[in-house]
């Protein structure tokens, strides 16, 4: 048994971060925030890590904020602004600016802030039995952890509003059909499919992935002209990397490329 609220395992370039409070459906307390942030930061600086997988232990991905935790539940009132300022907002900014790719492996229900933490990741796989629940309205709160941004960007305001206001679970297959996530996978194939995707990214040109993430993030607000300029600048960096040289050489020599993921 371990007391860690986030389990960290490393294998073959993949760092797996598992939210680990299964009896509370992996609801977030302050310790889990601290351990998750440390896990991402260590993965960012670990030269052996090429991809991060975020998942949950047991039957849930995570039920969002632990509503019984004394850090937010003070004498029956909820100090939500403080929790966002200190814990959730820094976490979402950290995830959104990570250069290495992050896969969210949503193994079960993802509710409240945790739905939006999953959606902040780069590629979201969900088991078909999983669902995404903007639970906030059920307790008189508004979607947070970037939810109003992400849902509106990915789904448009009509679906963002209904999901937020009705607070009904969105099943994984519908989330895929709506373009909210990458893929809903049969439960019995879920772990294998996530592992295969992670293994693929562990031997991918990691530096180019980081630059691609940067360009796509900027596209949310850029004009076409500004985006073309940015692509030129970032492609110049990618083109000078050892992985670009290796990629072109491997293509011409009709062999698989051996990418290091490094910028130089
Ligand atoms: C929980 C929780 C939970 C504690 C299940 N807390 N124990 C930011 C800033 C500051 C303040 C507030 O919040 C935020 C962001 C947020 O995330 S707000 C939204 C917080 N999350 C929710 O409102 C979701 C609450 N949970 C649920 O609605 C259900 O548990 C779901 C739909 C996730 C799953 O339902 P079931 O499968 O029926 O499981 P369950 O409800 O029976 O839960 C199992 C256990 O987990 C149970 O404990 P028990 O001791 O009775 O077995 C729950 O009390 C506990 N649990 N979520 N967020």
């Amino acid at each position: 048994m371990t007391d860690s609220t986030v389990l960290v395992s490393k294998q073959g370039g993949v760092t797996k971060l598992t939210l680990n409070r299964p009896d509370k459906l992996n609801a977030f307390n302050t310790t889990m925030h601290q351990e998750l942030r440390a896990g991402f930061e260590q993965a960012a600086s670990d030269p052996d890590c090429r991809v991060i997988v975020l998942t949950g232990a047991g039957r849930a991905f995570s039920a969002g904020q632990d509503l019984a935790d004394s850090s937010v539940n003070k004498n029956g009132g909820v100090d939500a602004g403080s929790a966002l300022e200190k814990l959730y907002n820094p976490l979402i900014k950290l995830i959104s600016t990570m250069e290495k790719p992050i896969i969210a492996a949503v193994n079960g229900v993802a509710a409240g802030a945790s739905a939006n933490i999953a959606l902040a990741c780069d590629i979201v796989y969900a088991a078909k039995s999983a669902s995404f629940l903007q639970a906030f309205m059920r307790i008189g709160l508004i979607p947070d952890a970037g939810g109003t941004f992400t849902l509106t960007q990915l789904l448009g305001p009509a679906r963002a509003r209904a999901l937020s206001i009705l607070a009904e679970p969105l099943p994984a297959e519908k989330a895929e059909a709506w373009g909210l996530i990458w893929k809903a996978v049969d439960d019995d194939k879920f772990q294998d499919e996530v592992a295969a995707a992670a293994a693929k990214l562990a031997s991918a040109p990691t530096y180019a992935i980081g630059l691609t993430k940067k360009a796509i993030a900027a596209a949310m607000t850029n004009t076409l002209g500004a985006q073309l300029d940015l692509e030129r600048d970032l492609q110049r960096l990618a083109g000078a990397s050892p992985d670009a040289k290796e990629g072109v050489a491997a293509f011409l020599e009709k062999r698989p490329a051996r990418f290091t993921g490094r910028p130089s």
Side-chain angles (χ1 to χ4, degrees):
M1 277 298 284
T2 172
D3 288 339
S4 300
T5 62
V6 177
L7 305 178
V8 181
S9 68
K10 301 179 195 182
Q11 201 183 8
V14 180
T15 297
K16 189 173 183 183
L17 304 176
T18 303
L19 305 173
N20 187 41
R21 300 182 74 215
D23 54 328
K24 300 283 181 196
L25 302 189
N26 305 318
F28 271 80
N29 60 14
T30 306
T31 306
M32 187 185 269
H33 269 287
Q34 288 162 345
E35 292 184 358
L36 183 59
R37 212 187 300 182
F40 275 120
E41 283 166 352
Q42 282 160 17
S45 60
D46 178 357
D48 294 331
C49 170
R50 306 270 293 272
V51 54
I52 298 133
V53 175
L54 177 64
T55 193
R59 71 179 175 92
F61 175 76
S62 170
Q65 171 63 40
D66 185 333
L67 296 171
D69 192 63
S70 58
S71 67
V72 296
N73 192 341
K74 294 197 181 355
N75 305 321
V78 175
D79 189 355
S82 167
L84 295 183
E85 181 73 23
K86 291 186 195 141
L87 301 171
Y88 287 95
N89 292 359
L91 175 64
I92 296 298
K93 286 176 188 167
L94 177 62
I95 291 173
S96 307
T97 54
M98 285 279 290
E99 292 180 7
K100 295 173 186 180
I102 308 173
I103 294 174
V106 180
N107 51 303
V109 63
S114 297
N116 300 328
I117 291 168
L119 296 175
C121 296
D122 298 308
I123 304 180
V124 184
Y125 285 88
K128 283 190 180 169
S129 62
S131 58
F132 296 81
L133 173 60
Q134 299 294 323
F136 308 88
M137 207 56 66
R138 295 180 178 191
I139 55 171
L141 294 178
I142 72 160
D144 58 24
T148 57
F149 180 87
T150 310
L151 295 172
T152 309
Q153 293 278 1
L154 295 178
L155 301 178
R159 284 172 168 166
R161 272 194 302 268
L163 279 177
S164 303
I165 295 169
L166 296 174
E168 291 170 3
L170 183 69
E173 284 178 275
K174 202 163 180 182
E176 179 193 315
W178 282 8
L180 186 64
I181 66 168
W182 174 239
K183 200 166 179 188
V185 183
D186 288 333
D187 285 24
D188 59 347
K189 300 194 178 80
F190 180 66
Q191 298 298 344
D192 285 350
E193 188 147 347
V194 169
K200 178 175 179 175
L201 295 188
S203 58
T206 317
Y207 180 58
I209 290 176
L211 297 176
T212 301
K213 287 171 57 163
K214 201 172 188 174
I216 290 175
M220 296 291 189
T221 50
N222 262 350
T223 61
L224 175 61
Q227 194 67 15
L228 290 171
D229 288 350
L230 180 65
E231 288 177 0
R232 175 202 58 210
D233 295 344
L234 297 181
Q235 193 70 295
R236 193 168 276 146
L237 296 174
S241 72
D243 280 347
K245 293 189 187 81
E246 164 64 7
V248 174
F251 175 79
L252 295 176
E253 292 162 22
K254 299 189 187 299
R255 61 169 175 83
R258 291 180 296 271
F259 295 119
T260 67
R262 289 195 282 273
S264 57

